[in-house]
Amino acid sequence: MKAIRPRVDYLKEPLGLGDPSPEFAWNCEGGLKQTAYQIIASSGNETIWNSGKVLSSSMTHIAYGGRKLKSRERVFWRVKLWDENGNGGEVSESFFEMGLLDASDWKAKWITGDYKPNTKLRYPVDCFKKEFKAQKKVAYARLYASSRGVYDVTINGHRLEDFILAPGMTDYRKRIQYQTYDVTKLIAHNNVLELRLADGWYRGSSAAYGVTNVYGTQTSVIAQLEITFEDGSVNTICTDDTWTWSNDGPIRFADLKDGEIYDATKVPSYNGKAKTIPGPKNIPLVASDNVPVLEKERFEAKLLPGNVLDFGQNIAGYLEFTVNGKPGQELKLRCGEILDDNGNVDLSGIQEARPVKGWSQMGLIKKLMTGKVDGEAVGSPLQEIVFTCSGGEDHYKTSFAVFGFRYVQIETDVAFDPANFTAIAVYSDMEQTGEFACSNELVNKLLQNTRWSMKGNYLDLPTDCPTRERLGWTGDAQVFFDTGAYLMDTAAFFRKWLVDMEDAQNKNGVLPAVLPYQGVDMMYNATGVSVGWADAVYLVPYRYYKRFGDKAVLERSWPMMKKYADYVMTHLGHSDKKEAKANPYNAYTYEKGMHLGEWLEPAQFQEKITAGKRPKHPEEATAYLHLTMKTMAEIADILGKAEDKATFIKIAEGSKKAYDHLIIKAGLLDTDRQAKLVRPLALGLLDGETKKQAQERLVKAVKNFDYCVGTGFLSTVFLLPVLTEAGEIETAYKMLENTQKPSWLGEVVDGATTVWENWDGTASRNHYSPGAVCQWLFDTVAGIRVSGENRFRIAPVPGGTLTYAKASYCSPYGFVESDWEKTESGIEFTISIPANTTAEVVLPNGDRRILGAGQHKLS
Ligand code: BGC
């Protein structure tokens, strides 16, 4: 038996790890059961940890147990496994390298451009340069770098592309990530090291309204190049005031959302000097122990009338092109997700108006209240590139912007060849873990679209859309968490985001509705308590634990969850005194605060909002109170916190009674509004006869709506699971396969290549949340679920028009497959279970068995 897919902190051979106590993980190959493992870790000639032979079947979360790890240390680790017969197998080898663990490791200084920024203006990209010689033979070289802004590095003309839009996104007031680059091969005798610095999340436009200067007005960068020679000596090149600087290079403007203005006639003169400035005070530079953001798939264009390039796939990414124009000739490129009726790129569904001059919280409040902007307005985002030709062959690739787009409209009199234009997808480099295919091609396309929406929205943080807002909306991340975890390996990505969540928590326990922080406090703080959104604080760590078995993450998140739960517990009861008095379960009813409700139901089901009156949402809030308190009770149990468990159980039970009083006894379950039935069924608020009635009423509501999707943002993910639990499998399949809108496949038939925010496609075209239905393809159609350490439950549920379905999932415990096919003699199931795991297999006829590693054919 051999260890495969060795990982450290979920990462493959990480460089610059910041975690002082890393965890090892692997999967097994060959044999049935791992009976023991041994890990030997070494640094140079020193064995720094020998676990000895540990009798255990665990292959995840094996904590490093050696001496304290040092900065820069490269650790080789070998793991040997013993199988069920006690035979030791072939040793697997891997490594990781530590980053700069102490603040004192940083000798470099923060540098900035030599100008005094004015908050009302935008500035060209800063260019910094240092020339140096490497006098001896290089053994290895590492570059450590970070910025307040976004930076890139070029060594001897070679741009490092190991992390696009570095240093990535965190709350820059709380912690800033740095990257570690292996640059050994790039160091020559004479060297030129160049840094570029743009506004990024720090100073650039942010959120729907394009507010700027969210974190600061002055951008800065820090870099430390450490060259170790073969004789063991080290030369360290640090950013300081010996670097030259200018901002007269080709990138005249760069903004993550708005785009770039690029003048190819310009080259940086470096005729100024870098200024050193104080580093961020009490804000740690932390290693980005996450998968890097990389350039991924590339797309060629088809030319449509009106100089529109169609890349065939809606993505988040940017452009590369080659043109040959006269000096000073311009190309203006607008990137968008859709075309209007005249075939022009249309940004109207993803743009909000913002004033040309100035923008304040008050200005924003006014705009929200009146829908109007004072003075001249411009749309946000612009998603535009303005390119000026140099007169020869020019090559351009976007450096500091990302757009949500499929189409690019080019305004120019330069003759161009569409074959010279490429769209490049950019996102966090998560390994693709889930595959699904079935006999309905539209369903297959839905799955691909959902994965593309995930790719379009997982760029160092999970966002709602890559266009209008690009914000880490808690609700979106929560709704999609499990679907995403099937599709790609999100373990490192969400571990990072859970730290962002800690950073975002207010003193009173409340989380803003978007995180990391992106300005516009009043809006995100006010909606921060909204059930379904705020509840990400419990649901993401909980589901993370269930999926990845990571108790350390759950433990780390506990104080944050508890603090929010404490806040909620002091805000129970009706806000209206009369209502409070009339409700015997007032203490367990929840409605205070600003709740968004179900959000985005089809128009006919939406509540009428009377001017100036914000609807209260006791139904949604009390239902989620029940779910989250139940979840907290379970977490308290896992973490051995008996007293907390009792408290949470009490509230969970009370809220169920409150819901019964408020909704069920009040007769509100007799409705065609699907969300009102799905929610109590999904969140465990109904029992016995009431539950049965609600299930039947839901089926009636679904039929009355022609099997179309009537739920909104929160309940769409629960719709098919609830129907499945009710035994209404064919109804569930009919909804899944329905092409009449609103439906998942309606937009596929309409040519969608990603998932749309609303069913008619008039808003963002890259909102993954409705794609959360794909969870059902994995956990129900194919029936693959992780049910604990080294354990699966596989319970496929054939149905609908499907004649076959095949799914695979590279889970934390190995590669599992579940296929079924309808044949003349019945349904044949093929199930593959990885080494060192077992699966409880349940077939539709009720047959139940425990199977071990290997491929199993069943019928
Ligand atoms: C976002 C959503 C988000 C919602 C919350 C929208 O503008 O795009 O996905 O969850 O706001 O109100």
Side-chain angles (χ1 to χ4, degrees), residues 464-465 468-469 473 475-476 533 596 599 713 757 767 769:
D464 56 335
C465 59
R468 191 185 62 222
E469 301 181 36
W473 280 98
D476 302 51
W533 277 259
L596 296 163
W599 194 252
F713 185 92
E757 180 176 17
H767 248 74
S769 51

Side-chain angles (χ1 to χ4, degrees), residues 63-126:
Y64 167 72
R67 65 143 167 82
K68 201 169 168 228
L69 293 164
K70 297 178 198 155
S71 289
R72 309 174 180 85
E73 181 156 58
R74 195 174 180 89
V75 179
F76 287 90
W77 61 286
R78 287 173 288 150
V79 56
K80 179 175 173 169
L81 308 180
W82 282 263
D83 68 11
E84 63 281 5
N85 301 317
N87 295 328
E90 191 189 329
V91 170
S92 298
E93 289 184 349
S94 190
F95 71 88
F96 61 97
E97 185 178 301
M98 300 307 288
L100 302 181
L101 301 179
D102 297 308
S104 63
D105 288 321
W106 286 92
K107 306 291 178 227
K109 298 205 160 62
W110 287 85
I111 55 172
T112 185
D114 192 8
Y115 64 96
K116 240 197 155 81
N118 174 333
T119 52
K120 303 230 156 48
L121 301 177
R122 299 295 295 269
Y123 295 91
V125 163
D126 290 301

Side-chain angles (χ1 to χ4, degrees), residues 277-290:
I277 58 162
K281 259 212 186 100
N282 303 324
I283 302 168
L285 273 182
V286 298
S288 56
D289 289 347
N290 184 6

